Amino acid sequence: MQTDSSFTFVLFGGTGDLSMRKILPALYEAHRAGMLAPSGKIFAVARHIDGREQYLQWVNEHVRPHVSKARFAEDAWRAFLDRIDFVGIDLGKAEDFVLLRDAVANLPGTRVFYLATGPSLFVPICRALASVGLNQNSRIVLEKPLGYDLRSSNAINDAVGEIFAEDQIYRIDHYLGKEPVQNLLALRFGNALFEPLWRRDWVESIQITIAEELGVEARGDFYDNTGALRDMVQNHLLQLLSIVAMEPPHSMDSDSVRDEKLRVLRALKPIDPRDISRVAVRGQYHAGVIRGTAVPAYANEPGVRPESTTETFVALKAEIDNWRWAGVPFFLRTGKRLADRVAEIVVNFRPVPHSALGATALRAGANRLVIRLQPNETIRLYCLAKKPGEGMNLSSVHLDLAFDQFFREGQMEAYQRLLLDVINGRLALFVRRDEQEAAWRWVEPILNEWAASGTRPKPYAAGTWGPAAASAMLAQHNTCWLEEEN
């Protein structure tokens, strides 16, 4: 489906890593699939490029390698490059924004300003846009991190909110655009099978994991002032939790969906600082081996302070104080330099209360739904079945929802979906300000306690699944992480 109308897409940070790896490849995919209006234009904004021809050369060298070879077509690529223009301005000079205004002033349709820059530039860019009248008939996309804590987040939101209305602001979280997350909504709210089971009576625990094999790469300076709790938990993990636990919205319009997510975030049980050592584990990777390659310790990464106490791993137990979920533990986990790259949601259903088929039928692990977000996007339901042969011997089997086998059309990447939603003015998959504030309020006591205690993160070897304390936390609830059971 093509975008609703013409548009002008202005990309600040046009030579940055995010633009190279995600944004421009996603726009190319949308273009190749015929999803962008023919009159739509893309403007890149950067400093160290000398004109459009040099920028297109940069795109060919740095963006093209991140486009799927299976989906690359030379004629589509050339036509995509024809959409792209370039404006060289210094973001620190408000007067330079006159050049941008003159470039886009007479173009039809909605303007989208994507701020793929550091958060310190969000407010200056917005003010400069307003100074030349570009905050009208426009939308602004803000990348994470939006602040360092609740206070700094509110300061950014207050300043941007003076220039753009809330329905013009798109706070992006790319996990919300992933196909399995969309299918989780369809699974829950489109099928009578799951709704009666989606509650404390039948769910024993829920795990949400985002694990990375990579370290901090070239982001040591940024990451050492951020850490895993701010970088991943406050946004991605809590957004996934709210999708899993939300009540059915009365419709799929933007405010209905986000109202229900907000209710979940506000129902998160506050963590008493005295309990943080029991329900929150922080770790930092040491040297190790990943897939046969030796990797350095976090403290030896470029840009990282040798004495750093920044966490690269977090595991948390969260609880939701409402009628549906009271007493069900939600285990959240994220980390760098772990054993595998995986993002998944694991719903562990309670075993049957009594079995005439033997002890095997009482295992909780046999009654499980696994929603895999990456690297391969699948939904898998585990249940018990009789093994062929004599006797009633049971074995765990699974039913797969394999999107690539069932649907002929290819899956849409998360950024592609979200960029099309921005262009078309659909807000449901973007984070509203009150959601963001509720997430910060829940996370801040943990940050404050860690800062006050001065204790170092627990060490773990690169290539493992994190500190042993993360496993011990689940053992207190007579359960384990999914890979430990397998």
Side-chain angles (χ1 to χ4, degrees), residues 405-460:
Q405 296 179 24
F406 192 84
F407 299 107
R408 291 184 179 274
E409 60 270 24
Q411 293 186 49
M412 190 181 295
E413 294 294 329
Y415 268 96
Q416 182 181 344
R417 172 182 287 105
L418 294 173
L419 292 177
L420 289 171
D421 278 2
V422 176
I423 292 169
N424 288 321
R426 296 190 287 258
L427 278 158
L429 299 182
F430 295 85
V431 181
R432 206 167 58 190
R433 175 175 179 170
D434 48 10
E435 292 180 73
Q436 193 174 66
E437 290 179 359
W440 272 121
R441 286 194 182 95
W442 188 76
V443 162
E444 269 205 328
I446 307 171
L447 289 168
N448 294 339
E449 177 61 22
W450 285 350
S453 69
T455 57
R456 295 190 63 84
K458 297 180 184 300
Y460 65 96

Side-chain angles (χ1 to χ4, degrees), residues 298-365:
Y298 173 75
N300 295 327
E301 296 276 19
V304 174
R305 297 163 295 159
E307 72 285 358
S308 174
T309 59
T310 298
E311 78 281 354
T312 62
F313 175 95
V314 174
L316 298 169
K317 174 195 168 188
E319 295 182 77
I320 300 173
D321 273 348
N322 65 16
W323 192 272
R324 184 184 289 265
W325 296 112
V328 176
F330 287 72
F331 298 108
L332 313 180
R333 178 178 58 163
T334 186
K336 291 188 175 296
R337 293 291 191 210
L338 297 182
D340 199 3
R341 173 180 174 263
V342 63
E344 64 188 8
I345 300 164
V346 180
V347 181
N348 290 313
F349 294 101
R350 298 187 187 278
V352 293
H354 171 74
S355 175
L357 303 176
T360 306
L362 297 175
R363 293 186 319 183

Side-chain angles (χ1 to χ4, degrees), residues 64-79:
R64 182 168 171 172
H66 294 281
V67 173
S68 166
K69 291 181 180 179
R71 297 178 182 178
F72 183 82
E74 192 65 47
D75 55 344
W77 181 253
R78 288 196 301 269

Side-chain angles (χ1 to χ4, degrees), residues 71-110:
R71 297 178 182 178
F72 183 82
E74 192 65 47
D75 55 344
W77 181 253
R78 288 196 301 269
F80 175 66
L81 294 182
D82 287 342
R83 287 184 183 269
I84 299 176
D85 212 330
F86 175 82
V87 181
I89 62 177
D90 185 338
L91 299 182
K93 297 180 179 179
E95 60 270 22
D96 278 12
F97 280 70
V98 173
L99 299 174
L100 179 61
R101 181 198 63 191
D102 293 346
V104 304
N106 297 320
L107 297 176
T110 298

Side-chain angles (χ1 to χ4, degrees), residues 154-422:
N154 281 341
I156 294 173
N157 278 317
D158 287 344
V160 174
E162 292 175 358
I163 299 163
F164 295 92
E166 180 63 28
D167 62 3
Q168 293 178 278
I169 302 172
Y170 291 69
R171 299 173 189 85
I172 195 166
D173 187 325
H174 70 275
Y175 275 87
L176 298 184
K178 289 182 176 291
E179 196 71 50
V181 175
Q182 304 299 297
N183 263 297
L184 175 58
L185 294 172
L187 196 75
R188 282 196 59 195
F189 305 136
N191 298 284
L193 173 65
F194 287 102
E195 176 55 27
L197 305 179
W198 213 263
R199 60 191 68 247
R200 63 186 303 274
D201 308 85
W202 294 106
V203 174
E204 191 167 65
S205 66
I206 293 177
Q207 301 174 16
I208 305 177
T209 294
I210 302 177
E212 299 177 272
E213 287 185 336
L214 294 175
V216 295
E217 305 307 297
R219 300 168 69 232
D221 289 333
F222 160 78
Y223 196 88
D224 206 38
N225 292 301
T226 305
L229 190 65
R230 291 184 178 92
D231 190 43
M232 299 297 290
V233 176
Q234 185 273 334
N235 39 72
H236 298 325
L237 282 164
L238 289 185
Q239 281 293 315
L240 292 177
L241 180 149
S242 66
I243 290 284
V244 170
M246 65 188 278
E247 294 295 321
H250 72 81
S251 73
M252 294 307 292
D253 70 76
S254 60
D255 279 333
S256 295
V257 171
R258 296 189 296 179
D259 284 347
E260 297 303 335
K261 287 164 57 190
L262 177 63
R263 289 188 177 96
V264 172
L265 294 170
R266 286 179 171 170
L268 282 170
K269 185 177 180 179
I271 296 179
D272 190 316
R274 294 170 296 184
D275 294 334
I276 285 175
S277 62
R278 183 174 57 84
V279 300
V281 177
R282 62 197 293 248
Q284 185 185 102
Y285 66 82
H286 286 200
V289 177
I290 296 181
R291 300 193 186 278
T293 300
V295 297
Y298 173 75
N300 295 327
E301 296 276 19
V304 174
R305 297 163 295 159
E307 72 285 358
S308 174
T309 59
T310 298
E311 78 281 354
T312 62
F313 175 95
V314 174
L316 298 169
K317 174 195 168 188
E319 295 182 77
I320 300 173
D321 273 348
N322 65 16
W323 192 272
R324 184 184 289 265
W325 296 112
V328 176
F330 287 72
F331 298 108
L332 313 180
R333 178 178 58 163
T334 186
K336 291 188 175 296
R337 293 291 191 210
L338 297 182
D340 199 3
R341 173 180 174 263
V342 63
E344 64 188 8
I345 300 164
V346 180
V347 181
N348 290 313
F349 294 101
R350 298 187 187 278
V352 293
H354 171 74
S355 175
L357 303 176
T360 306
L362 297 175
R363 293 186 319 183
N367 299 278
R368 170 180 289 149
L369 182 69
V370 178
I371 302 122
R372 178 67 64 90
L373 308 179
Q374 64 183 33
N376 53 323
E377 301 180 339
T378 59
I379 295 178
R380 177 171 287 183
L381 178 64
Y382 289 84
C383 51
L384 288 174
K386 179 187 174 298
K387 290 182 179 179
E390 188 178 7
M392 184 57 71
N393 298 312
L394 304 182
S395 178
S396 178
V397 297
H398 53 81
L399 308 173
D400 280 349
L401 174 56
F403 306 118
D404 57 346
Q405 296 179 24
F406 192 84
F407 299 107
R408 291 184 179 274
E409 60 270 24
Q411 293 186 49
M412 190 181 295
E413 294 294 329
Y415 268 96
Q416 182 181 344
R417 172 182 287 105
L418 294 173
L419 292 177
L420 289 171
D421 278 2
V422 176

